[in-house]
Structures are given as structure tokens and as C-alpha cells.
Amino acid sequence: TLDHLLETLPSRRFKFVELDYRHVEEDIRRLRPDFLVTSGSLYAALMGSVGSHQIATRQPKTSPKPSETVSSAFVVRASSRYRTLADLQGARAAISDRRSFDGWLIAQGELAKEGLDPEHHFGELIETSYGVPDVGTLVKIGAADVGVLSTCEYEQLLANGVIRDGDFRILAEKPAHGGCIRSTDRYPDVVFSSLPWVDAETVREATVSILSMPSENLDFQWTVCNDFVPTFELLRVLSIGPFEGQNDLTFEAIWKRWKTEILLGILLLTAVVFHIVTINLLVRKRTAQLSEALEETERFFREAQEARNALLTIERTNIVAQLSSMFAHEIKQPIMNVSLYAGALKLLLEKQDLPKAAEEKVATILSSLSHEVDRSAAIVEHVRSYAKKRSRNPVPCDLSAIAKDAVKTLEVRGLKIENRLPAGLWVRADPFELLFVLSNFLRNSAAALKDTEAPCILLSAEDSGSTWRLSVSDNGPAISDDDFDRLG
């Protein structure tokens, strides 16, 4: 092929260099060759790293198509106990080179397809480095339990007389389909490729020269392979080439492979966390503001309700005051007439000669009538004082006597009133107001006892220093909280 290039491109000067397989990419960047002749696996690996581009692919005439050319074969001695690839666990294997595509890499891919560990399946790996003794000889003399032969190497050993037919047995053999024996799938052969920095005219000339190379006297031809997907899949399974280090889970390896993605992820995570924190702070702030607004609204509502209640109370008080004033004004005249009639009756009776007993009885009745009239007049005056909001003048009064008068106003059949108030409970107050309050307490108790058997009201007093604490209690039912709230 190189001779053909020299012959067909006389205007071009060629220089051939060999790249070290241990650091191919470094040599490419250092030497900057225009074209490469590599195995299919190395070409696939260099596509992503240095941008190699296929010009032509070598296709032996025994291959059905350019994408199915090279393969590997697992061979053991005919007398070997090994029958399957799985049986070779821990065995000694002879190979030509760890980086050889069809001498080892394709074989590793087949082990992976069988669910075996391609890196640790064999107990010992012997490399011949294409020297002597070769793989076939190592297996033949028993120095290795299994050998990995490259494409058509088995047929070459037979032709050269290194082994005889029947010396070896093929493991996991696949149909040859007119080609050489194999244990694996087939992959593309050697690739002639160009690199990105070569000018288009040079690439065109080289492409025309390679693809027009006569093959009549050769066992191969140059053509174009359009399927390198299986090769890429093999590299991925073996974690080599562009997939090198993908199974290395150390921090350095992960950082090297996913540096950009990790940085983008951290940036995205930071943005999300910042967004969440910002939203939470904003929600918390808005919630606090809403709570304050609700509290303020509730406060305004309570104040408005209280103001409304106070206004209603004032209105009711004014109405009561007006009615009280009208009532006091109207009732005062009849009471005054009753007082005058009583006085006149008393004067009239004094002029009559009545029996002694009748005279005393009439005097008693008139005295009581006069007392009730005075009392009614006092009530009217108090009502008028409330209506006109006059100042009140407290006077010394006996709380015990006032309580007795309050008891007299309550006449309920079957009601027992127990008065435990001692005599002489002197206080400074308005006697009418005290009588009014005590009478209301007693009437409330009597109303609460209407459905109680043996109803009883107890009046008691307790000395609280400068004041007396008077209690009116009964044995009626308790008031529920709801009823108590409704009392106002």
C-alpha cells in the first residue's frame, strides 16, 4: 500500500514514522502525522480524542463485508479438560499483546458477553509480545492452558507446520462462513485515516489513490466501512479508548470524567437551594405580614364591636333614662295623692270616737300605709336621680337589715331562705341600691330553683377587712360556660 502511494503520488514526499502504542496520542500531537494506519479499535478510540477520519478500511477477500473481518480464537490442547470459556476460570492464558485488537481485546469482549470478568477471569496472563515462543507453541508445550489467536493465525500455524491438525481444540467456536476459524464476533480490520490538520486536496488525492489501488494480485482490498458501532461498544465494555476509566470510581477519575457535569450540577444545586431559601424567606416574611394584618384586622374588629356594644348600651341607657324620668314624673303625683288621702283619713279618724281596739288597729294600718308611701316616694326619687344622673350620697346603713327587707320582698311557696348574716354589718352605701341588688340576686336564685326539689337559698357574709363580702348561693343547677358567656 505504501509503495502504491509513492508510485501514484510522485508530487508528494512521504515520510513514515512509527508511533509507540503506549502513548499514541502524545506521539500524534508531537509528530503531527497527516495519515494513520491503525487497527479498527485504535481508529475508533482516536476519533474522539484527535479527530481521525476514515479514508479506507482493509477488507480481506475472505471477509463477507468490511465491518466483519478480524476476530479471535480460544484454543486449548485436544486433551485439555477445559470445555467452555467459563471453565477457564483461574487458568493460564497466552496472548500476543494486551493492546492487540484481535490478539486480546476482541477476546476480552467475548468473555464479557458470556458474563465473565475479562480482567480477572484468568489466573495468569502470558504475553509473547509477538516473539518466540509464540502463543501456539506455549499452548502446545503446556506452558499455557489456553491461547488467544488472532485472525487466521490458527490456519497459519497449520500451514507453517508449527501444529498439526487435531493438536488443538477451539472453544466457543462460531461458524466460519468461508473465513478463518473464530470464537468471537468479527470487527473491522486496519483503517487508513486522515487527521484534521491535513488540507482537503491532500486528503482527496490520498483517498483516490488508496481506493483505486489494484487488488488482483493481493488477498485484500481497500474499501469503506460504514459500521463502527460494534467497535465502539467493545471499547465501552472494556472501558478503553474514549471510555477509559469509566469503571474507576475514585474521586480523581470521577472528577476527570465528569468535571463539567459536576460543576454544572453544583451550580444548578446552588441555584435551586438559593431559590428555595429565597422563597422560604419570602413566604415566611409574607406569612408574618399576613399574620400581622390579620391580627390588626381582628383588633380593629374587636374595637369596632366593643364600640358598637358601648353605643348600643348608651342608647339603651338613654331610653331607660327617658322612660324612667317619664315614669317617675307620672307616678309621683298619684303617690302624693295617696299620702294626702292617708293624712286626711288620719285627721278624720282622730275626730271620731272609736273603740280603743279599733283605734289602735286603724293607727297601725295608717302607719304602715304611710311607710309604704314614703318608700314608694323614695324609689321614685332614686329613679329620677338615675335618669337625671344626680350625684349619690352614701350613708351608714346596716347590711343585715337591708338583707331582711330584701327577703321580705320574695314570697315563693316552698322556698327556704336561710339568713346567716350577723347583726351590725355596717357599711357606707346607698340603702336603696343595696336593696335593689340583693332583691335581684334573690329573684335570680328563686328562678334557678323552680325545678329543684327542696329549694334553698343561703345568705352569708365574710369580713374582708375594710369591706364585707356578702354571698347569695343556692342549691340549683350549675350554669354552663356557654350560658355564662351569653349572660353578658
Side-chain angles (χ1 to χ4, degrees):
T1 298
L2 300 180
D3 290 341
H4 176 74
L5 286 173
L6 292 171
E7 180 181 349
T8 56
L9 300 176
S11 62
R12 300 290 182 178
R13 184 168 58 89
F14 287 88
K15 177 182 179 182
F16 304 105
V17 296
E18 185 175 353
L19 306 180
D20 191 331
Y21 70 89
R22 291 169 296 185
H23 38 75
V24 174
E25 294 183 20
E26 293 181 12
D27 281 359
I28 290 176
R29 293 186 179 94
R30 179 174 56 86
L31 299 173
R32 293 181 65 81
D34 298 307
F35 302 99
L36 297 175
V37 181
T38 63
S39 66
S41 62
L42 184 55
Y43 162 71
L46 294 175
M47 285 177 64
S49 58
V50 299
S52 58
H53 179 74
Q54 174 194 194
I55 288 180
T57 298
R58 181 180 183 273
Q59 180 185 3
K61 294 181 177 179
T62 56
S63 299
K65 51 185 177 179
S67 59
E68 297 180 2
T69 299
V70 296
S71 60
S72 301
F74 292 95
V75 297
V76 296
R77 292 186 302 278
S79 60
S80 173
R81 60 184 178 87
Y82 301 111
R83 299 294 174 181
T84 65
L85 297 180
D87 295 341
L88 295 171
Q89 176 73 40
R92 296 169 299 169
I95 64 174
S96 56
D97 189 279
R98 289 178 182 267
R99 293 178 178 266
S100 171
F101 187 33
D102 55 352
W104 175 235
L105 298 182
I106 295 177
Q108 275 191 304
E110 191 65 28
L111 292 175
K113 289 180 181 179
E114 295 291 327
L116 306 174
D117 185 355
E119 290 291 336
H120 308 97
H121 185 61
F122 296 116
E124 182 182 359
L125 207 60
I126 305 171
E127 293 183 80
T128 65
S129 298
Y130 302 100
V132 178
D134 58 72
V135 172
T137 302
L138 291 175
V139 176
K140 182 178 179 180
I141 65 177
D145 300 313
V146 62
V148 178
L149 300 180
S150 57
T151 308
C152 297
E153 189 176 358
Y154 178 79
E155 287 77 8
Q156 293 174 6
L157 292 176
L158 286 175
N160 295 333
V162 177
I163 62 173
R164 293 176 300 177
D165 191 18
D167 287 347
F168 288 165
R169 183 160 33 86
I170 311 301
L171 297 184
E173 185 174 2
K174 297 180 183 295
H177 296 304
C180 300
I181 65 163
R182 63 191 180 96
S183 302
T184 67
D185 293 336
R186 293 189 177 103
Y187 297 86
D189 196 3
V190 172
V191 177
F192 192 102
S193 61
S194 62
L195 291 168
W197 46 78
V198 186
D199 64 88
E201 180 60 24
T202 303
V203 173
R204 187 192 67 79
E205 292 179 358
T207 302
V208 171
S209 175
I210 290 291
L211 294 179
S212 61
M213 177 179 169
S215 61
E216 290 80 7
N217 300 323
L218 302 174
D219 59 356
F220 73 93
Q221 64 178 354
W222 288 104
T223 185
V224 176
C225 176
N226 61 351
D227 185 10
F228 280 91
V229 174
T231 306
F232 272 104
E233 181 62 21
L234 176 64
L235 299 181
R236 187 193 65 79
V237 170
L238 300 181
S239 298
I240 58 178
F243 306 99
E244 185 174 1
Q246 70 173 3
N247 294 328
D248 187 355
L249 300 181
T250 62
F251 177 80
E252 292 79 10
I254 294 175
W255 175 258
K256 182 178 180 181
R257 290 199 308 272
W258 306 103
K259 178 179 179 180
T260 303
E261 289 80 0
I262 292 174
L263 291 176
L264 290 176
I266 292 175
L267 183 62
L268 178 62
L269 181 61
T270 303
V272 170
V273 171
F274 177 77
H275 177 71
I276 292 174
V277 171
T278 304
I279 291 298
N280 286 340
L281 291 177
L282 184 61
V283 169
R284 187 177 301 176
K285 181 179 179 180
R286 291 292 184 266
T287 302
Q289 293 175 346
L290 181 59
S291 299
E292 293 177 0
L294 289 176
E295 291 177 359
E296 192 71 12
T297 302
E298 291 176 358
R299 185 177 65 83
F300 288 152
F301 178 78
R302 287 194 302 269
E303 292 177 353
Q305 188 69 25
E306 292 171 359
R308 189 181 304 111
N309 293 337
L311 181 60
L312 292 175
T313 301
I314 293 173
E315 291 178 353
R316 287 196 298 266
T317 302
N318 290 334
I319 293 173
V320 171
Q322 293 175 11
L323 292 175
S324 299
S325 180
M326 293 172 59
F327 171 77
H329 178 75
E330 296 297 328
I331 202 67
K332 184 175 181 180
Q333 190 63 37
I335 291 175
M336 183 61 66
N337 291 339
V338 171
S339 177
L340 293 175
Y341 285 138
L345 181 60
K346 185 177 180 181
L347 293 175
L348 181 61
L349 290 175
E350 287 178 352
K351 296 178 180 181
Q352 303 291 330
D353 288 331
L354 296 176
K356 183 69 173 178
E359 185 178 351
E360 291 179 356
K361 188 174 183 179
V362 170
T364 301
I365 292 173
L366 289 174
S367 177
S368 296
L369 179 60
S370 178
H371 174 73
E372 291 302 322
V373 168
D374 292 341
R375 183 167 172 268
S376 298
I379 292 174
V380 170
E381 285 299 323
H382 274 89
V383 171
R384 294 186 68 188
S385 68
Y386 287 138
K388 295 183 178 181
K389 298 182 180 180
R390 294 174 182 171
S391 60
R392 295 186 296 274
N393 298 316
V395 297
C397 54
D398 186 0
L399 193 56
S400 299
I402 294 173
K404 289 179 182 180
D405 291 340
V407 171
K408 291 178 183 179
T409 63
L410 189 65
E411 294 181 0
V412 179
R413 183 175 297 178
L415 176 62
K416 178 184 178 183
I417 300 178
E418 185 177 350
N419 189 350
R420 295 182 183 179
L421 298 179
L425 300 182
W426 292 96
V427 294
R428 285 186 60 82
D430 186 329
F432 172 78
E433 290 183 345
L434 291 180
L435 178 62
F436 181 77
V437 171
L438 284 174
S439 297
N440 273 285
F441 282 174
L442 292 171
R443 281 194 293 270
N444 288 340
S445 289
L449 294 171
K450 63 181 181 179
D451 296 326
T452 303
E453 295 182 2
C456 178
I457 298 176
L458 173 64
L459 282 83
S460 60
E462 178 184 350
D463 188 358
S464 299
S466 61
T467 60
W468 289 102
R469 179 183 179 89
L470 189 148
S471 300
V472 179
S473 58
D474 59 70
N475 60 345
I479 300 177
S480 67
D481 292 341
D482 292 339
D483 290 338
F484 188 81
D485 291 337
R486 283 195 292 269
L487 290 178

